[in-house]
């Protein structure tokens, strides 16, 4: 009886062998793809590095342009402030001169 059980187990295991062989073939095929995958990964890594460098340079240029514009705005603000002060002084002088002319 025990011999019969052993034979039955062997037969069951033999049924699985073709499926396992198919799985082995698939694994071998996937293993053949690994060098291609590595090559593609290397190519993508190079592309990403180039993009990072290019974008870094572009961002640096944008920040430089922002700094230049900020400096120009500061310069113009100072100039406008100076002009406003001068206009206020001239308004005071005109008022003073009008008051002298009109005898106020």
């Amino acid at each position: 009886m025990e011999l019969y059980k052993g034979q039955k187990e062997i037969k069951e295991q033999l049924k699985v062998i073709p499926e396992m062989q198919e799985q082995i073939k698939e694994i071998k095929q996937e293993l053949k793809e690994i060098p291609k995958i590595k090559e593609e990964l290397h190519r993508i890594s190079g592309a990403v590095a180039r993009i990072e460098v290019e974008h870094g340079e572009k961002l640096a240029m944008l920040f430089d342009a922002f700094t230049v514009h900020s400096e120009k705005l500061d310069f113009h603000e100072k100039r406008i402030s100076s002009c406003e002060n001068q206009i206020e002084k001239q308004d005071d002088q005109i008022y003073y001169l009008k008051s002298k002319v009109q005898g106020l």
Side-chain angles (χ1 to χ4, degrees), residues 1-9:
M1 182 81 160
E2 211 165 292
L3 182 60
Y4 177 72
K5 284 183 183 179
Q7 287 177 345
K8 190 175 181 180
E9 286 177 16

Side-chain angles (χ1 to χ4, degrees), residues 49-83:
R50 273 191 309 280
I51 290 169
E52 287 176 349
V53 168
E54 290 172 4
H55 284 256
E57 291 171 354
K58 289 176 183 178
L59 283 173
M61 288 190 306
L62 283 172
F63 286 128
D64 289 345
F66 177 77
T67 302
V68 168
H69 285 280
S70 179
E71 290 171 357
K72 283 183 181 180
L73 283 174
D74 289 343
F75 171 75
H76 289 300
E77 284 178 7
K78 288 177 185 175
R79 232 175 117 219
I80 290 170
S81 178
S82 173
C83 290

